[in-house]
Structures are given as structure tokens and as C-alpha cells.
Amino acid sequence: MDLAYTEAEEEFRARLRAWLAAVLPGLPPKPSPDDWPARRAYDTAWQRMLYDAGYAGLHWPVDAGGQGATPTQHLIFLEETEKAGAPYVGANFVGLLHAGPTIAAEGTAGQRARWLPPVLRGDEIWCQGFSEPEAGSDLAALRTRAVRDGDDYVVSGQKIWTSHAEVADWCELLVRTDADAPKHRGISWLAMPMDAPGITVRPLRTPAGSTEFAEVFLDEVRVPVRNRVGAENDGWRVTMVTLSFERGTAFVGEVVACRRTLDALAAEARRNGRWDDPVLRRRLGRLNAEFRALWRLTQANVGESERTGGVPGVGGSVFKLRYSGARQELYEAAAEVLGAEGAFDLDREWVLDRLSSLAYTIAAGTSQIQRNIVAERILGLPKGR
């Protein structure tokens, strides 16, 4: 396996670096991480700059509005933007990394034309309506129902941990369209407009103070049948495409950010004398090796997706499992370097990163779910009863 970059890919990297060096100094200050309306404005403005410069939807197909670049060029984009300290995808996360790629892969020509250009331009924000109360980690245990009524589905139920619902225009929504079918076969994937009558959004304030999530109540919300992506009752398969993108590529750029944080911790340990502790040095060294290995694993997964049509494979579960654990350990090491009080005496965004690391072994499928996927689909072990 060749993990080296080609001459053309290095030329792409050089052009991107030059563009970032030219535009980043002129950006306004980032808004408070607690102010999601302001964050939406900031994140969508950055997305528009990427679009105008030809860097939006880099690896999306040209007929989906993308640039038709290779997944490796996308990887270079993620690496260089993180290294340069460019704005994170933020409020555009679900649209660009979940719903958009899913519609590009599974949507009709009309659905691509309607939903993808506004995502790439930063005109519309999406939220994720997958999780439900009492379902736990069993995503297929959803109860939200959609009953066909002419050209509409009438949707009733409740979603929770709905990312970015407070500022979203659209929701990628999982609903049960056949209550009598086996639970993985009676599901459909809908695009629901968030301004439809019958939708109530209640932001959830996390222990970190952010309202990134919300609970969403659906009371006979009418969603056109034409908004269904994939066939009726085939939504579980479409969902697996969404989750493949989420686990395979959505967290990739964060590995670079973690390596930058690790370098900062090592520098601080040298400054405050903690570097003299051999146990701490060993821990930071092992984390450094872990994040470097994760980057190589990402390159291998991207190479595999290039050979299989662009949809990440189950290797994304290995990445997600290892990355979420390493991220938590990084911030535990930070507390060791800085002291428990010092770790919370930094700027607000850093504290949010510290607290959010605790959720990474739950978000996007728990570590237990990832272990099951690895056991069954990579190692070929029998399914549990």
C-alpha cells in the first residue's frame, strides 16, 4: 500500500496553503461557542468563501455540485485547514458531512439539484434527527411514525440530541413507515423542512453551557413523499451510508487538531517542569504515536474508499473507536500537565473541547456499537442473539 502523496497532490496542497495564508488574517473574530445564531452566520460565511474559491464539496461528484477531487485531496484539505487554524465546519457539519454526501450517493437528480447547492454555498443548515428517547444506542428502535396521506407523510414522534436543530433549515429524519415490519426494514429517510407546522424545538443546555443539541417534538408534521431519499422502508440501508460518512471522514480533521493540542501540552510540560516525570513523558509519547497511527489509518481508509466508489467502509468504525478513546485520554493528560484546576482556567472554547471529549465514546455510535461492527463485519465473528 502506497501512502505517499503524488506530485499533483502536493501541488494542490501548495495552492491551498497559499490561499489560506491570504484569507485567514482577514477573518473576523470567532463568536462565542454558546451563541449558535452567531455561529451559524460565521460558519456559513466561511463556507461561502470556500465555495467562491472552489474548495466547497471538493470530493463530491461534479454532477452533485462538487469539484470531483479525489478523497486524498479532500484529506489534504482537512489536514491543511486544521494546521492553518481555519474555521471548523461548525453549524455546517450535518449538511456537509452527513446529509449532503448521503443525498449525493442515494438521492435522485431532482433531490441533488434542490438540496446540495445550498449546502455547498452555506445558504442552508441541516440538523440530524436520528436519536430518540428510550432507544439508547439501538438506532433502529425508533418510534417516530410517518403515515402516508396522499402525497405527504404525516409524522409524529420525538427526537433527542438533534444536532444544530436550533438554527437548522432542514432535518435528516429517520421515521418508521411500516410498524409491522422487522425493525430494521420498516424505516425511511426523509428530508424535513424545519419551518413546517407542528415542529417544536427545545434547545438542550449541556454541562458545558452549549445548546448544540435540542429535543424536537413532531405533531402531525406533513413532509412531502418526494422528500424521501431512497425507497420506502429502505431507510436503514440509506442510514448506513450516512453513518459510513460520519464515522469514516467526519472526524478526520480533528485528528490534526488533537496533534496540535498534544504539541502544546508537551511545550507546557517542558515549561512548568512536568516534563521531568517519566510516566507523563511516556503517556504523551504514546498519544503521539496513537494520533500518528490514526492519521495513517485514515489514509488507508481513504485509499480504500477511492477503490470502492467514494463511500467509506467499515474501517471507519475502527477509526471512530480508537479516535474517541484517544481524544478522551488527550484531555486527561492535559489535566495532568496543567493540574485539574489549571485545565479549566483556560479560554472558554478549550473548556468546551475538554468537556465534549467525554461524549465522543457515545456520539456517532457508542464504542460498544463500534466493537460489534468490528467483530461481525471485519473479524467475521457470529452475531449475538
Side-chain angles (χ1 to χ4, degrees), residues 3 26 45 71 73 86 88 98 140 171 181 223 240-241 247 263 277 292 317 320 322 347 365 367 372 379-380 384:
L3 299 179
Q73 287 176 313
Y88 182 58
H98 294 193
C171 177
V223 180
M240 292 302 100
V241 173
R247 295 162 184 167
D263 290 343
D277 182 349
R292 288 179 181 277
S317 289
K320 169 64 173 54
R322 297 296 299 183
D347 63 83
S367 292
N372 279 345
L379 301 178

PDB file of all heavy atoms in Angstrom, residues 3 26 45 71 73 86 88 98 140 171 181 223 240-241 247 263 277 292 317 320 322 347 365 367 372 379-380 384:
ATOM      1  N   LEU A   3       1.191   5.048   0.741  1.00  0.00           N
ATOM      2  CA  LEU A   3       0.533   6.131   1.458  1.00  0.00           C
ATOM      3  C   LEU A   3       1.175   7.482   1.161  1.00  0.00           C
ATOM      4  O   LEU A   3       0.865   8.477   1.804  1.00  0.00           O
ATOM      5  CB  LEU A   3       0.563   5.854   2.969  1.00  0.00           C
ATOM      6  CG  LEU A   3      -0.162   4.580   3.419  1.00  0.00           C
ATOM      7  CD1 LEU A   3      -0.040   4.419   4.919  1.00  0.00           C
ATOM      8  CD2 LEU A   3      -1.624   4.585   3.014  1.00  0.00           C
ATOM      9  N   GLY A  26      -7.710  37.975   7.442  1.00  0.00           N
ATOM     10  CA  GLY A  26      -8.786  38.943   7.303  1.00  0.00           C
ATOM     11  C   GLY A  26     -10.111  38.511   7.915  1.00  0.00           C
ATOM     12  O   GLY A  26     -11.088  39.270   7.855  1.00  0.00           O
ATOM     13  N   ALA A  45     -20.684  32.025   6.477  1.00  0.00           N
ATOM     14  CA  ALA A  45     -19.861  32.990   5.728  1.00  0.00           C
ATOM     15  C   ALA A  45     -18.544  32.342   5.291  1.00  0.00           C
ATOM     16  O   ALA A  45     -18.073  32.546   4.160  1.00  0.00           O
ATOM     17  CB  ALA A  45     -19.591  34.230   6.585  1.00  0.00           C
ATOM     18  N   PRO A  71     -10.641  11.642  -2.959  1.00  0.00           N
ATOM     19  CA  PRO A  71     -10.704  11.649  -1.490  1.00  0.00           C
ATOM     20  C   PRO A  71      -9.370  12.015  -0.853  1.00  0.00           C
ATOM     21  O   PRO A  71      -9.335  12.606   0.227  1.00  0.00           O
ATOM     22  CB  PRO A  71     -11.112  10.200  -1.166  1.00  0.00           C
ATOM     23  CG  PRO A  71     -11.905   9.764  -2.348  1.00  0.00           C
ATOM     24  CD  PRO A  71     -11.212  10.407  -3.530  1.00  0.00           C
ATOM     25  N   GLN A  73      -7.239  14.264  -2.007  1.00  0.00           N
ATOM     26  CA  GLN A  73      -7.185  15.727  -1.997  1.00  0.00           C
ATOM     27  C   GLN A  73      -8.065  16.299  -0.889  1.00  0.00           C
ATOM     28  O   GLN A  73      -7.716  17.291  -0.258  1.00  0.00           O
ATOM     29  CB  GLN A  73      -7.610  16.274  -3.366  1.00  0.00           C
ATOM     30  CG  GLN A  73      -6.557  16.064  -4.438  1.00  0.00           C
ATOM     31  CD  GLN A  73      -7.025  16.521  -5.808  1.00  0.00           C
ATOM     32  OE1 GLN A  73      -8.139  16.201  -6.215  1.00  0.00           O
ATOM     33  NE2 GLN A  73      -6.187  17.246  -6.520  1.00  0.00           N
ATOM     34  N   ALA A  86      -7.864  27.270  10.359  1.00  0.00           N
ATOM     35  CA  ALA A  86      -9.059  27.766   9.666  1.00  0.00           C
ATOM     36  C   ALA A  86     -10.313  27.404  10.465  1.00  0.00           C
ATOM     37  O   ALA A  86     -10.289  26.479  11.280  1.00  0.00           O
ATOM     38  CB  ALA A  86      -9.138  27.163   8.265  1.00  0.00           C
ATOM     39  N   TYR A  88     -13.600  25.757  11.844  1.00  0.00           N
ATOM     40  CA  TYR A  88     -14.131  24.396  11.768  1.00  0.00           C
ATOM     41  C   TYR A  88     -15.455  24.428  11.000  1.00  0.00           C
ATOM     42  O   TYR A  88     -16.084  25.489  10.874  1.00  0.00           O
ATOM     43  CB  TYR A  88     -14.336  23.854  13.180  1.00  0.00           C
ATOM     44  CG  TYR A  88     -14.841  22.426  13.233  1.00  0.00           C
ATOM     45  CD1 TYR A  88     -14.125  21.405  12.632  1.00  0.00           C
ATOM     46  CD2 TYR A  88     -16.035  22.127  13.881  1.00  0.00           C
ATOM     47  CE1 TYR A  88     -14.584  20.099  12.675  1.00  0.00           C
ATOM     48  CE2 TYR A  88     -16.493  20.818  13.937  1.00  0.00           C
ATOM     49  CZ  TYR A  88     -15.772  19.810  13.330  1.00  0.00           C
ATOM     50  OH  TYR A  88     -16.234  18.530  13.368  1.00  0.00           O
ATOM     51  N   HIS A  98     -22.844  14.731   6.564  1.00  0.00           N
ATOM     52  CA  HIS A  98     -23.811  13.630   6.702  1.00  0.00           C
ATOM     53  C   HIS A  98     -24.833  13.642   5.556  1.00  0.00           C
ATOM     54  O   HIS A  98     -24.848  12.785   4.687  1.00  0.00           O
ATOM     55  CB  HIS A  98     -24.596  13.736   8.015  1.00  0.00           C
ATOM     56  CG  HIS A  98     -23.787  13.549   9.229  1.00  0.00           C
ATOM     57  ND1 HIS A  98     -24.349  13.345  10.466  1.00  0.00           N
ATOM     58  CD2 HIS A  98     -22.461  13.518   9.436  1.00  0.00           C
ATOM     59  CE1 HIS A  98     -23.412  13.211  11.370  1.00  0.00           C
ATOM     60  NE2 HIS A  98     -22.252  13.328  10.776  1.00  0.00           N
ATOM     61  N   ALA A 140     -32.205   1.630  15.507  1.00  0.00           N
ATOM     62  CA  ALA A 140     -33.374   1.080  14.805  1.00  0.00           C
ATOM     63  C   ALA A 140     -34.596   0.942  15.703  1.00  0.00           C
ATOM     64  O   ALA A 140     -35.677   0.602  15.218  1.00  0.00           O
ATOM     65  CB  ALA A 140     -33.016  -0.287  14.216  1.00  0.00           C
ATOM     66  N   CYS A 171     -33.878  18.892   8.233  1.00  0.00           N
ATOM     67  CA  CYS A 171     -33.502  17.810   9.150  1.00  0.00           C
ATOM     68  C   CYS A 171     -33.441  16.496   8.379  1.00  0.00           C
ATOM     69  O   CYS A 171     -34.380  16.149   7.657  1.00  0.00           O
ATOM     70  CB  CYS A 171     -34.535  17.697  10.276  1.00  0.00           C
ATOM     71  SG  CYS A 171     -34.229  16.340  11.436  1.00  0.00           S
ATOM     72  N   ALA A 181     -43.226  -4.346  10.088  1.00  0.00           N
ATOM     73  CA  ALA A 181     -42.022  -4.960   9.515  1.00  0.00           C
ATOM     74  C   ALA A 181     -40.974  -5.151  10.603  1.00  0.00           C
ATOM     75  O   ALA A 181     -41.018  -4.487  11.647  1.00  0.00           O
ATOM     76  CB  ALA A 181     -41.467  -4.060   8.406  1.00  0.00           C
ATOM     77  N   VAL A 223     -44.715  16.004   5.598  1.00  0.00           N
ATOM     78  CA  VAL A 223     -43.478  16.003   4.814  1.00  0.00           C
ATOM     79  C   VAL A 223     -43.793  15.379   3.452  1.00  0.00           C
ATOM     80  O   VAL A 223     -44.301  14.252   3.388  1.00  0.00           O
ATOM     81  CB  VAL A 223     -42.376  15.177   5.505  1.00  0.00           C
ATOM     82  CG1 VAL A 223     -41.096  15.182   4.664  1.00  0.00           C
ATOM     83  CG2 VAL A 223     -42.091  15.730   6.902  1.00  0.00           C
ATOM     84  N   MET A 240     -27.129   3.591   6.858  1.00  0.00           N
ATOM     85  CA  MET A 240     -25.774   3.034   6.934  1.00  0.00           C
ATOM     86  C   MET A 240     -24.801   3.827   6.061  1.00  0.00           C
ATOM     87  O   MET A 240     -23.621   3.983   6.404  1.00  0.00           O
ATOM     88  CB  MET A 240     -25.780   1.568   6.503  1.00  0.00           C
ATOM     89  CG  MET A 240     -26.499   0.622   7.461  1.00  0.00           C
ATOM     90  SD  MET A 240     -25.811   0.648   9.156  1.00  0.00           S
ATOM     91  CE  MET A 240     -27.004   1.707   9.992  1.00  0.00           C
ATOM     92  N   VAL A 241     -25.310   4.365   4.937  1.00  0.00           N
ATOM     93  CA  VAL A 241     -24.473   5.241   4.107  1.00  0.00           C
ATOM     94  C   VAL A 241     -24.132   6.512   4.884  1.00  0.00           C
ATOM     95  O   VAL A 241     -22.975   6.957   4.926  1.00  0.00           O
ATOM     96  CB  VAL A 241     -25.188   5.573   2.786  1.00  0.00           C
ATOM     97  CG1 VAL A 241     -24.393   6.615   1.987  1.00  0.00           C
ATOM     98  CG2 VAL A 241     -25.384   4.315   1.947  1.00  0.00           C
ATOM     99  N   ARG A 247     -18.626   8.199  10.410  1.00  0.00           N
ATOM    100  CA  ARG A 247     -17.527   7.527  11.097  1.00  0.00           C
ATOM    101  C   ARG A 247     -16.253   7.506  10.269  1.00  0.00           C
ATOM    102  O   ARG A 247     -15.154   7.418  10.815  1.00  0.00           O
ATOM    103  CB  ARG A 247     -17.948   6.096  11.446  1.00  0.00           C
ATOM    104  CG  ARG A 247     -19.089   6.045  12.448  1.00  0.00           C
ATOM    105  CD  ARG A 247     -19.784   4.715  12.460  1.00  0.00           C
ATOM    106  NE  ARG A 247     -20.938   4.745  13.360  1.00  0.00           N
ATOM    107  CZ  ARG A 247     -21.886   3.811  13.404  1.00  0.00           C
ATOM    108  NH1 ARG A 247     -21.817   2.765  12.588  1.00  0.00           N
ATOM    109  NH2 ARG A 247     -22.899   3.920  14.230  1.00  0.00           N
ATOM    110  N   ASP A 263       1.072  18.815  20.967  1.00  0.00           N
ATOM    111  CA  ASP A 263       2.331  19.576  20.894  1.00  0.00           C
ATOM    112  C   ASP A 263       2.336  20.711  21.916  1.00  0.00           C
ATOM    113  O   ASP A 263       3.358  20.981  22.570  1.00  0.00           O
ATOM    114  CB  ASP A 263       2.515  20.150  19.485  1.00  0.00           C
ATOM    115  CG  ASP A 263       2.819  19.077  18.449  1.00  0.00           C
ATOM    116  OD1 ASP A 263       3.206  17.958  18.856  1.00  0.00           O
ATOM    117  OD2 ASP A 263       2.646  19.344  17.243  1.00  0.00           O
ATOM    118  N   ASP A 277       8.773  14.167  34.699  1.00  0.00           N
ATOM    119  CA  ASP A 277       8.067  12.947  35.119  1.00  0.00           C
ATOM    120  C   ASP A 277       8.112  11.926  33.969  1.00  0.00           C
ATOM    121  O   ASP A 277       7.476  12.133  32.928  1.00  0.00           O
ATOM    122  CB  ASP A 277       6.615  13.293  35.466  1.00  0.00           C
ATOM    123  CG  ASP A 277       5.828  12.079  35.948  1.00  0.00           C
ATOM    124  OD1 ASP A 277       6.334  10.948  35.817  1.00  0.00           O
ATOM    125  OD2 ASP A 277       4.697  12.274  36.437  1.00  0.00           O
ATOM    126  N   ARG A 292      -0.608   9.622  15.292  1.00  0.00           N
ATOM    127  CA  ARG A 292       0.061   9.395  14.007  1.00  0.00           C
ATOM    128  C   ARG A 292      -0.470   8.128  13.332  1.00  0.00           C
ATOM    129  O   ARG A 292      -0.667   8.089  12.117  1.00  0.00           O
ATOM    130  CB  ARG A 292       1.574   9.281  14.217  1.00  0.00           C
ATOM    131  CG  ARG A 292       2.234  10.611  14.549  1.00  0.00           C
ATOM    132  CD  ARG A 292       3.732  10.466  14.776  1.00  0.00           C
ATOM    133  NE  ARG A 292       4.327  11.746  15.117  1.00  0.00           N
ATOM    134  CZ  ARG A 292       4.691  12.661  14.224  1.00  0.00           C
ATOM    135  NH1 ARG A 292       4.553  12.399  12.932  1.00  0.00           N
ATOM    136  NH2 ARG A 292       5.212  13.806  14.602  1.00  0.00           N
ATOM    137  N   SER A 317     -15.301   2.429  11.449  1.00  0.00           N
ATOM    138  CA  SER A 317     -15.626   2.045  12.823  1.00  0.00           C
ATOM    139  C   SER A 317     -14.359   1.841  13.649  1.00  0.00           C
ATOM    140  O   SER A 317     -14.331   2.146  14.849  1.00  0.00           O
ATOM    141  CB  SER A 317     -16.477   0.771  12.833  1.00  0.00           C
ATOM    142  OG  SER A 317     -17.778   1.050  12.352  1.00  0.00           O
ATOM    143  N   LYS A 320     -13.217   5.372  14.413  1.00  0.00           N
ATOM    144  CA  LYS A 320     -14.055   6.016  15.420  1.00  0.00           C
ATOM    145  C   LYS A 320     -13.780   5.455  16.812  1.00  0.00           C
ATOM    146  O   LYS A 320     -13.692   6.203  17.793  1.00  0.00           O
ATOM    147  CB  LYS A 320     -15.531   5.805  15.052  1.00  0.00           C
ATOM    148  CG  LYS A 320     -16.552   6.174  16.122  1.00  0.00           C
ATOM    149  CD  LYS A 320     -16.545   7.653  16.459  1.00  0.00           C
ATOM    150  CE  LYS A 320     -17.667   8.045  17.399  1.00  0.00           C
ATOM    151  NZ  LYS A 320     -17.758   7.298  18.647  1.00  0.00           N
ATOM    152  N   ARG A 322     -11.013   3.981  18.033  1.00  0.00           N
ATOM    153  CA  ARG A 322      -9.703   4.360  18.551  1.00  0.00           C
ATOM    154  C   ARG A 322      -9.618   5.872  18.782  1.00  0.00           C
ATOM    155  O   ARG A 322      -9.027   6.318  19.766  1.00  0.00           O
ATOM    156  CB  ARG A 322      -8.604   3.924  17.580  1.00  0.00           C
ATOM    157  CG  ARG A 322      -8.511   2.432  17.372  1.00  0.00           C
ATOM    158  CD  ARG A 322      -8.124   1.707  18.634  1.00  0.00           C
ATOM    159  NE  ARG A 322      -6.820   2.127  19.126  1.00  0.00           N
ATOM    160  CZ  ARG A 322      -6.214   1.612  20.179  1.00  0.00           C
ATOM    161  NH1 ARG A 322      -6.819   0.657  20.859  1.00  0.00           N
ATOM    162  NH2 ARG A 322      -5.042   2.058  20.574  1.00  0.00           N
ATOM    163  N   ASP A 347      -9.236  29.380  28.109  1.00  0.00           N
ATOM    164  CA  ASP A 347     -10.333  30.062  27.441  1.00  0.00           C
ATOM    165  C   ASP A 347     -11.540  29.148  27.303  1.00  0.00           C
ATOM    166  O   ASP A 347     -11.462  27.933  27.399  1.00  0.00           O
ATOM    167  CB  ASP A 347      -9.885  30.561  26.055  1.00  0.00           C
ATOM    168  CG  ASP A 347      -9.495  29.412  25.154  1.00  0.00           C
ATOM    169  OD1 ASP A 347     -10.392  28.813  24.550  1.00  0.00           O
ATOM    170  OD2 ASP A 347      -8.297  29.113  25.078  1.00  0.00           O
ATOM    171  N   GLY A 365     -22.515   6.718  17.410  1.00  0.00           N
ATOM    172  CA  GLY A 365     -22.456   5.279  17.674  1.00  0.00           C
ATOM    173  C   GLY A 365     -21.481   5.010  18.806  1.00  0.00           C
ATOM    174  O   GLY A 365     -20.308   5.375  18.724  1.00  0.00           O
ATOM    175  N   SER A 367     -18.982   3.225  21.625  1.00  0.00           N
ATOM    176  CA  SER A 367     -17.837   2.320  21.430  1.00  0.00           C
ATOM    177  C   SER A 367     -18.288   0.860  21.415  1.00  0.00           C
ATOM    178  O   SER A 367     -17.710   0.028  20.705  1.00  0.00           O
ATOM    179  CB  SER A 367     -16.803   2.551  22.540  1.00  0.00           C
ATOM    180  OG  SER A 367     -16.205   3.826  22.393  1.00  0.00           O
ATOM    181  N   ASN A 372     -18.999  -4.094  18.124  1.00  0.00           N
ATOM    182  CA  ASN A 372     -19.849  -5.102  17.484  1.00  0.00           C
ATOM    183  C   ASN A 372     -19.630  -5.121  15.979  1.00  0.00           C
ATOM    184  O   ASN A 372     -19.553  -6.191  15.361  1.00  0.00           O
ATOM    185  CB  ASN A 372     -21.322  -4.819  17.792  1.00  0.00           C
ATOM    186  CG  ASN A 372     -21.740  -5.330  19.155  1.00  0.00           C
ATOM    187  OD1 ASN A 372     -21.035  -6.131  19.768  1.00  0.00           O
ATOM    188  ND2 ASN A 372     -22.866  -4.846  19.645  1.00  0.00           N
ATOM    189  N   LEU A 379     -13.991  -8.992  11.561  1.00  0.00           N
ATOM    190  CA  LEU A 379     -13.418 -10.245  12.049  1.00  0.00           C
ATOM    191  C   LEU A 379     -14.278 -11.456  11.708  1.00  0.00           C
ATOM    192  O   LEU A 379     -13.815 -12.599  11.827  1.00  0.00           O
ATOM    193  CB  LEU A 379     -13.220 -10.165  13.572  1.00  0.00           C
ATOM    194  CG  LEU A 379     -12.302  -9.026  14.051  1.00  0.00           C
ATOM    195  CD1 LEU A 379     -12.218  -9.013  15.572  1.00  0.00           C
ATOM    196  CD2 LEU A 379     -10.904  -9.162  13.441  1.00  0.00           C
ATOM    197  N   GLY A 380     -15.533 -11.232  11.289  1.00  0.00           N
ATOM    198  CA  GLY A 380     -16.384 -12.346  10.886  1.00  0.00           C
ATOM    199  C   GLY A 380     -16.905 -13.182  12.029  1.00  0.00           C
ATOM    200  O   GLY A 380     -17.297 -14.338  11.832  1.00  0.00           O
ATOM    201  N   GLY A 384     -24.448 -11.656  18.059  1.00  0.00           N
ATOM    202  CA  GLY A 384     -25.053 -12.031  19.322  1.00  0.00           C
ATOM    203  C   GLY A 384     -26.546 -12.185  19.170  1.00  0.00           C
ATOM    204  O   GLY A 384     -27.157 -11.621  18.260  1.00  0.00           O
TER     205      GLY A 384
END
